[in-house]
Amino acid sequence: MTGRLRHPAHRDASEVTAGSGKGYAVIDFETTGLFAQSSHRVIGVAIVHVDETGRITGRWDTLINPGRDLGRQDIHRIRAADVMQAPTFEQIAPQLVKLISGRVLVAHNARFDTGFLLAELERLDYEAELKLEALCTMQLAREFLPGSGRKLSDCCAAYDIPLVDAHRALADAVATARLLGAYIAEAPDAPGWARSVAGAAALPWPPFLGEASEWVSRDDVAPAGPVKAASWLDRITVKLPEFAGPAEQLDYLALLDLALLDRELSTHEAQALVQLAEDLGIGRATCAALHERYFDDLVHIAWVDMVLTEAEIADLVTVAQLLGLPTAAVATALVAPPVARTSKVAAASSERFALTVGDIVVLTGEMLRLRADWHAELTQHGFVPGAGVTKKSRLVVAADPDSLSGKARTARDYGIPVVSEAGLSSLLGRS
């Protein structure tokens, strides 16, 4: 596990012990949805320590692998690829309990965050008798900011507290901590502060017993965007000599075609290509040659009518980038061949994935487009919208191609391609 938690004191979460100081633990969760008692799960958490005077003394955050799809990714902007190597809630629970034990829990809309905290701990059979001393900065706004809005952004604006990267757990937790500090500064002698701190300190939570895992800060994951060729091609072993023959090379090309259906290369797909190359005994040099062959076939398909459209040019540029091909390969592709080689085009086209009438297509995740609209369009094209993934399914469409949903996991087990909504649109346009 890579990536370590960082905050001003440079302490790792595992170094924090129960009862290590009085004060407040500001907490903010990112979740797959709004309902803690349903199937919705936590996918990120941030904790900020605040002392009794309102001063921030430490901050921690980690992504969490929920083992399911991530819900409305347009809100939290977390990709499935981000959480693939993140710890589970069970693995972060030992440190999490240490960080909040003996402190007053604080959140903006505390009912939401404490609800998810207790629901996740309940799933792990953490059956301790917990005293939950909590404060809600949203509710406190009634007293300190009468007449203002209740959203975190409204409350922060009233005190000129910067709020950047809203809906990111650490940013929201830091802003909430500063808001708490502003409240304390306005009424430092109010008896409620000391009463809450004393109550929490008197009844610390028992430790969560289990094997702890290193936290993975959201700042430590790669920025959003397609997988770059160099980031996965370099993981393929340089083999000399190779033992792969034409059949193995065709298997690799077939998987490559499935991986590039939606002109994106998910982390799962890149890993699958690397693993297949290793299993088949194909070295990095041969993979590079196969990528050139695959691209060459696409070029011939694009030039079959002796006209290269803007869409076809954009498509070739995208594929060349994903395959790590030099810009010279694209420049050569844009030059019209003297004669269209129809036999080569026919052979290349026959090897490409295509949907046929009657194929079962399954959707998973929170789509940008209404699922009912997708189902209607699939039916119009003669395809069958499927409710679940079976070996008879032909294609799975996910809001995130790296989706961790049960449908996506089953599809990968069966070798069924998983594409994005854009990929489905492209396939329907070609069908």
Side-chain angles (χ1 to χ4, degrees), residues 88-398:
T88 63
F89 195 92
E90 183 174 11
Q91 290 172 320
I92 65 106
Q95 294 99 320
L96 177 65
V97 169
K98 287 181 183 179
L99 287 168
I100 63 180
S101 178
R103 289 178 174 266
V104 181
L105 282 178
V106 181
H108 199 79
N109 190 2
R111 182 184 296 273
F112 175 87
D113 292 283
T114 57
F116 269 96
L117 172 64
L118 295 177
E120 291 285 2
L121 290 174
E122 184 179 353
R123 291 187 183 99
L124 300 177
D125 296 325
Y126 182 66
E127 297 177 349
E129 291 293 330
L130 302 180
K131 176 176 174 57
L132 194 63
E133 191 76 44
L135 292 175
C136 178
T137 52
M138 183 177 71
Q139 296 298 332
L140 288 171
R142 298 176 182 272
E143 177 181 350
F144 289 98
L145 296 169
S148 71
R150 295 291 180 261
K151 293 192 301 183
L152 179 60
S153 57
D154 293 332
C155 295
C156 287
Y159 286 105
D160 290 327
I161 296 171
L163 177 57
V164 295
D165 291 329
H167 300 297
R168 287 189 59 161
L170 186 57
D172 286 354
V174 169
T176 302
R178 289 173 176 163
L179 180 61
L180 173 66
Y183 290 165
I184 294 174
E186 278 205 24
D189 298 324
W193 304 125
R195 184 167 55 246
S196 293
V197 169
L203 292 171
W205 291 13
F208 183 93
L209 302 179
E211 184 177 351
S213 179
E214 192 168 294
W215 289 22
V216 178
S217 171
R218 188 168 175 179
D219 291 332
D220 290 339
V221 300
V227 174
K228 304 300 183 185
S231 68
W232 63 279
L233 282 178
D234 289 346
R235 300 205 304 268
I236 298 176
T237 306
V238 177
K239 291 183 172 65
L240 190 69
E242 293 187 8
F243 56 84
E248 287 81 8
Q249 294 180 11
L250 286 177
D251 286 345
Y252 180 87
L253 285 171
L255 181 60
L256 183 65
D257 185 50
L258 293 180
L260 294 180
L261 275 179
D262 52 5
R263 296 309 187 244
E264 296 179 26
L265 196 60
S266 71
T267 300
H268 278 107
E269 290 165 341
Q271 290 177 345
L273 286 166
V274 172
Q275 188 60 54
L276 183 63
E278 295 296 313
D279 292 345
L280 296 178
I282 297 175
R284 195 184 306 166
T286 297
C287 284
L290 290 174
H291 292 180
E292 292 177 4
R293 171 179 167 183
Y294 181 85
F295 183 74
D296 188 49
D297 287 344
L298 288 184
V299 171
H300 286 294
I301 292 171
W303 277 112
V304 67
D305 56 0
M306 298 305 293
V307 175
L308 204 60
T309 66
E310 290 186 6
E312 288 170 331
I313 293 173
D315 187 58
L316 291 176
V317 169
T318 298
V319 173
Q321 290 174 340
L322 288 172
L323 296 181
L325 300 179
T327 55
V330 177
T332 302
L334 301 184
V335 179
V339 179
R341 287 174 276 182
T342 55
S343 60
K344 181 176 179 64
V345 169
S349 298
S350 65
E351 295 171 358
R352 298 196 67 200
F353 178 94
L355 290 171
T356 57
V357 172
D359 280 346
I360 299 174
V361 180
V362 180
L363 277 62
T364 182
E366 297 281 347
M367 300 285 183
L368 295 176
R369 184 182 181 189
L370 289 176
R371 192 167 297 194
D373 293 344
W374 273 125
H375 283 181
E377 186 170 351
L378 287 168
T379 302
Q380 181 182 354
H381 281 81
F383 309 128
V384 180
V389 178
T390 70
K391 291 183 178 180
K392 294 182 179 179
S393 303
R394 177 67 169 157
L395 183 73
V396 170
V397 184

